[in-house]
Amino acid sequence: MNQRGPKNRQKLVDDAKSNPCVICNIQYPIPVMDLHHADNSEKTVSITGLIRTGPYVDLQKEVDKCVPLCANCHRMIHKLEDCSNTVSYTHLTLP
């Protein structure tokens, strides 16, 4: 498989987004899903940037550090991170 092609890079990301949100457990269409670094201190580069350029192996490593979140839960997580140094997203309960 030609890993260098942009379609294959996007497929890698889309496959990771094809799982339910780890918070609300709802599977939305891929464009509504985001990848969130489970431990932000391990983030080395932007996944979006790696899709365009950069080694495929680096993209795979970044994707492996992420969990799928729907856009709504992702925004809530970042809002909570603004208010606290730590967020346990796996224990977040939604109304």
Side-chain angles (χ1 to χ4, degrees):
M1 175 165 103
N2 176 11
Q3 296 174 335
R4 295 177 187 234
K7 287 182 183 177
N8 289 326
R9 290 170 178 271
Q10 188 62 55
K11 182 179 179 335
L12 174 67
V13 173
D14 289 349
D15 286 349
K17 290 180 173 185
S18 66
N19 296 296
C21 172
V22 297
I23 294 174
C24 68
N25 204 34
I26 298 174
Q27 175 60 60
Y28 290 100
I30 289 172
V32 180
M33 298 298 291
D34 296 332
L35 294 179
H36 175 74
H37 282 83
D39 181 351
N40 205 30
S41 67
E42 292 183 4
K43 181 178 181 178
T44 55
V45 294
S46 161
I47 288 177
T48 303
L50 286 173
I51 291 172
R52 293 184 193 121
T53 62
Y56 184 89
V57 67
D58 290 351
L59 175 61
Q60 178 69 64
K61 287 178 185 176
E62 284 304 308
V63 168
D64 288 346
K65 298 175 192 176
C66 296
V67 295
L69 295 177
C70 70
N72 190 51
C73 290
H74 196 191
R75 268 90 189 143
M76 287 192 301
I77 287 294
H78 283 285
K79 181 61 178 172
L80 290 172
E81 287 175 343
D82 289 344
C83 300
S84 171
N85 288 335
T86 60
V87 173
S88 178
Y89 62 87
T90 56
H91 296 93
L92 180 68
T93 55
L94 303 176

